[in-house]
Amino acid sequence: MKQAKIVGTGSYLPQKILTNFDLQNMVETSDEWIVTRTGIHERRLAQENEFTSTMGLAAAKKAIDDAQKIPQDIDCIIVATLTPDYIFPSTACLIQHALGINGPAFDMQAACSGYIYGLSIAKAFVENGQYKNVLIVASEKLSSIVDYSDRTTCVVFGDGAAACVVSLEGKGLSIDSVKLGASGEYADLLILPGGGCRHPATHETVDQKMHYLRMKGNEVFKHAIRNMESAVRECLADLHLEESNIDWLIPHQANKRIIDALAKRFSHLSEEKVVQNVISKYGNTSASSIGIALDELRKEGKVQHHEKIVFTAFGAGFTWGAAIVTNQK
Ligand code: COA
């Protein structure tokens, strides 16, 4: 049976650090409140000349290298982002040009679930033989849509990028099962109201701060835990596995309390088997967070042969998803 694998990973974080103490000088908040409520200590911010495409390109080059391939081996590019350089053309086309390659390239928007949605598409493409080496890039310049005078959102989000190469050939993580979900009835709970065709940019939309993301954080919170857990259970059922077969859990790095609540539902996993340091260092990087966490975990060399990793994510839409991969060295 043809089996898609993640054969290379990469990530990129901008150098500039925004700490909780910096935020204390910008809005009415405290390091203690942010750490207790979110687990975040600091996040990265892109410079003015860094964009979703340039950060994504940097991550993509590392992933291609890690896969022991060259850019010309890539025959399809999928970019998951909710902060594209432009509404059009796609960020994927900009990255394709920067890599100097041909083939289809498109953006795909599933908010924080983008990496897992991307894995599902890439798996289908390589397993049905349409493309050989699909590059997934998840990249976000969330600082471009965050209102740094709104304490309920500005403490949460950060910038960063991740990428992976999905292929049939080579060593890596076999993508055993992917399950996706969505529920548009909750669209208003996490939304960028301005800039689309419903509210194109006008002086009024700018005055009303409609080009900044808006989030009902506590509502999002409840839905996130429930849907991430059920997506993981769907993957387990799909593969006829038990919870105890999971060796590692990489939840979307949205909030340490969400991660902890999810970890309690998979209580056989010890604390070090649930990835949670990424939220502390980088904040919520939306589509990029799972890819960054996966890249760091792989580079630390901790994942043993045949161990299974579960990814699960949740984001605006609402969208959610989970995937189970197995390390095949
Ligand atoms: N500093 C200090 N106080 C703050 C604050 C901040 N940065 N942000 C909000 N508060 C205040 C609120 O104004 C509120 O005050 P009130 O009780 O006087 O009205 C109080 O803290 C509680 O607010 P609430 O929104 O209920 O806090 P919370 O515990 O839900 O934490 C989030 C807020 C955003 C950290 C949390 O809801 C969260 O992380 N949600 C999930 C977000 C997420 O994952 N989004 C992306 C999905 S991919």
Side-chain angles (χ1 to χ4, degrees):
M1 198 190 85
K2 289 180 180 172
Q3 176 75 72
K5 290 185 219 125
I6 297 172
V7 295
T9 58
S11 57
Y12 174 83
L13 278 307
Q15 290 203 329
K16 188 174 172 196
I17 295 173
L18 182 72
T19 67
N20 293 347
F21 298 101
D22 296 328
L23 284 163
Q24 280 182 190
N25 297 324
M26 296 159 67
V27 287
E28 199 182 325
T29 190
S30 66
D31 174 59
E32 201 246 328
W33 191 96
I34 301 171
V35 172
T36 316
R37 297 289 181 120
T38 70
I40 302 168
H41 287 88
E42 53 190 46
R43 65 289 292 142
R44 300 298 176 93
L45 291 191
Q47 304 282 354
E48 270 178 28
N49 63 351
E50 282 184 307
F51 309 106
T52 295
S53 63
T54 60
M55 293 188 288
L57 175 68
K61 284 180 175 169
K62 291 183 196 172
I64 294 168
D65 213 33
D66 186 48
Q68 299 184 342
K69 297 191 184 292
I70 57 170
Q72 284 66 27
D73 293 326
I74 302 298
D75 51 4
C76 176
I77 302 178
I78 303 169
V79 172
T81 185
L82 46 71
T83 50
D85 287 31
Y86 309 107
I87 289 184
F88 70 90
S90 71
T91 301
C93 285
L94 306 182
I95 292 176
Q96 184 219 44
H97 176 65
L99 285 171
I101 60 176
N102 300 312
F106 61 95
D107 287 3
M108 186 271 307
Q109 208 273 83
C112 300
S113 313
Y115 194 84
I116 294 178
Y117 269 65
L119 281 181
S120 181
I121 300 168
K123 174 178 165 66
F125 275 168
V126 304
E127 289 181 359
N128 75 17
Q130 198 168 350
Y131 302 108
K132 285 193 168 64
N133 298 299
V134 178
L135 173 69
I136 303 172
V137 178
S139 182
E140 301 286 12
K141 187 173 174 176
L142 290 165
S143 58
S144 66
I145 56 164
V146 165
D147 175 2
Y148 285 94
S149 65
D150 172 9
R151 68 178 183 172
T152 66
T153 53
C154 73
V155 301
V156 175
F157 296 100
D159 299 334
C164 69
V165 177
V166 174
S167 177
L168 296 180
E169 310 291 333
K171 295 179 204 164
L173 301 159
S174 60
I175 306 168
D176 305 332
S177 177
V178 187
K179 295 290 172 189
L180 308 174
S183 186
E185 70 183 290
Y186 301 108
D188 287 348
L189 296 182
L190 184 46
I191 190 166
L192 182 70
C197 71
R198 211 175 268 224
H199 300 291
T202 60
H203 287 293
E204 199 186 348
T205 62
V206 172
D207 290 345
Q208 292 180 1
K209 297 191 167 189
M210 290 174 71
H211 301 277
Y212 292 126
L213 77 82
R214 291 180 188 170
M215 174 172 74
K216 297 221 166 52
N218 44 13
E219 294 286 324
V220 176
F221 200 107
K222 286 182 251 165
H223 289 276
I225 298 164
R226 202 166 46 235
N227 287 300
M228 286 198 281
E229 179 188 3
S230 67
V232 172
R233 297 209 183 277
E234 271 185 66
C235 282
L236 288 170
D238 185 34
L239 299 170
H240 306 289
L241 293 175
E242 302 294 326
E243 226 178 273
S244 57
N245 296 117
I246 303 173
D247 300 294
W248 296 89
L249 176 63
I250 305 186
H252 169 46
Q253 306 283 298
N255 179 312
K256 170 97 166 57
R257 286 189 295 145
I258 295 180
I259 297 171
D260 288 346
L262 193 64
K264 272 199 198 133
R265 287 156 164 83
F266 299 97
S267 55
H268 72 286
L269 290 171
S270 59
E271 204 176 313
E272 66 274 13
K273 293 297 182 84
V274 179
V275 174
Q276 46 197 301
N277 59 336
V278 168
I279 183 72
S280 159
K281 297 186 287 184
Y282 310 135
N284 180 342
T285 55
S286 189
S288 317
S289 91
I290 287 181
I292 294 170
L294 174 64
D295 187 46
E296 293 198 352
L297 185 67
R298 285 185 72 234
K299 304 286 157 68
E300 285 164 12
K302 288 185 184 162
V303 184
Q304 304 299 309
H305 185 41
H306 278 155
E307 281 194 325
K308 291 191 189 302
I309 311 174
V310 174
F311 311 140
T312 183
F314 181 84
F318 291 143
T319 59
W320 59 87
I324 295 184
V325 303
T326 307
N327 194 24
Q328 316 273 5
K329 283 202 171 158

